[in-house]
Amino acid sequence: TQDAIQMLLIAACEGLSNAAFAGAIAAAERQLGGIKLQKEANRTFSIAGLDVALKQLEQLRPLEKPLLLKALAACMEANGVVSEEETELFR
């Protein structure tokens, strides 16, 4: 699950500088209640990889899903701008 969360957040942080990426991941981490993420991870992703990650995340328990959504929102808002692509990813 940690890898799937990381993949989703990498997709949400597409185009951010390394410093902004680390800040966005740190903001997401604060919402996840103890899950540690890689702030200097390989930031490449594929649509196929993201699709696999989303399928894994669909299996989260009902009480875990709001935490994931809060983490994703925190990641997206960390740089002060939420793009149309990020909004679609959130949906």
Side-chain angles (χ1 to χ4, degrees):
T1 302
Q2 183 176 351
D3 290 340
I5 292 170
Q6 185 83 42
M7 178 66 71
L8 176 64
L9 297 177
I10 288 170
C13 292
E14 183 68 17
L16 294 182
S17 68
N18 288 339
F21 174 77
I25 295 298
E29 236 177 18
R30 287 190 290 275
Q31 301 295 322
L32 289 171
I35 293 177
K36 296 293 180 192
L37 301 169
Q38 297 178 7
K39 294 171 189 68
E40 297 180 17
N42 177 355
R43 292 178 53 189
T44 60
F45 76 97
S46 67
I47 297 298
L50 180 60
D51 189 48
V52 168
L54 290 173
K55 286 186 187 338
Q56 289 175 357
L57 294 172
E58 286 176 357
Q59 303 305 312
L60 289 175
R61 286 176 256 160
L63 294 178
E64 294 173 326
K65 290 179 181 181
L67 290 177
L68 177 62
L69 292 174
K70 287 179 184 177
L72 180 57
C75 179
M76 291 169 28
E77 294 171 343
N79 70 341
V81 177
V82 178
S83 70
E84 186 177 327
E85 291 84 4
E86 290 170 331
T87 302
E88 288 300 316
L89 183 60
F90 190 81
R91 287 183 194 171

